Amino acid sequence: LKAHGEQVELGAGFASNVAPGAKPTRPFATPKSLLLKVKWPPEASTAKRRHLVVGTTNPGARVRIGDLVAVADERGRFQVVIELNEGTNHLRAYALDVFGRVQQTEAPPVELDTRAPAQEIQTDPEMWNRPK
């Protein structure tokens, strides 16, 4: 494999990653299966619209969460910042590695509630009457 003036030899069962404009990584043993671990937003209910989602998968795999796509680095780490929609959000991550293997995982539902709580003020009409 050759890119940007650097060449690496790939034996059977080994792979390398080449990011756009970069040299190939050192060869690594190809995993026998596709791993996908995701750290989802911790709250079941939140008022915070944006959340950082991080995880690990096979190096070079593409991870899609909603419309966002990240490419795992040479250690298999990835991260995306997601924006929740008002109400219940069902989040799924899909990983696709260089061998065409697909893995998916789903988060527990996350409720986004940015509305202020309803306020009710109760008064006693007699409160304005002064004692005689």
Side-chain angles (χ1 to χ4, degrees):
L1 175 66
K2 185 175 183 180
H4 286 276
E6 188 163 318
Q7 182 173 330
V8 294
E9 298 268 337
L10 298 176
F14 284 83
S16 173
N17 292 324
V18 181
K23 297 177 180 180
T25 62
R26 287 192 339 238
F28 55 88
T30 56
K32 298 204 182 301
S33 63
L34 178 57
L35 163 76
L36 178 58
K37 290 186 179 181
V38 181
K39 183 177 178 189
W40 296 107
E43 305 91 5
S45 181
T46 183
K48 185 178 164 189
R49 185 170 299 279
R50 298 181 71 173
H51 290 267
L52 177 65
V53 175
V54 297
T56 55
T57 186
N58 296 13
R62 289 188 201 153
V63 179
R64 181 171 55 91
I65 301 174
D67 294 335
L68 304 170
V69 176
V71 177
D73 66 14
E74 66 278 351
R75 295 170 126 177
R77 299 173 303 190
F78 66 89
Q79 66 180 27
V80 296
V81 176
I82 61 166
E83 285 205 26
L84 300 175
N85 296 315
E86 193 71 35
T88 303
N89 291 263
H90 298 281
L91 305 170
R92 288 182 185 89
Y94 299 89
L96 171 67
D97 72 3
V98 296
F99 304 104
R101 297 178 294 199
V102 177
Q103 183 70 274
Q104 101 175 31
T105 186
E106 186 173 339
V110 179
E111 182 81 20
L112 175 65
D113 185 0
T114 60
R115 298 167 295 215
Q119 299 294 321
E120 184 177 321
I121 300 174
Q122 295 181 359
T123 60
D124 179 2
E126 296 298 317
M127 71 184 252
W128 301 110
N129 296 334
R130 291 189 175 167
K132 295 182 183 181

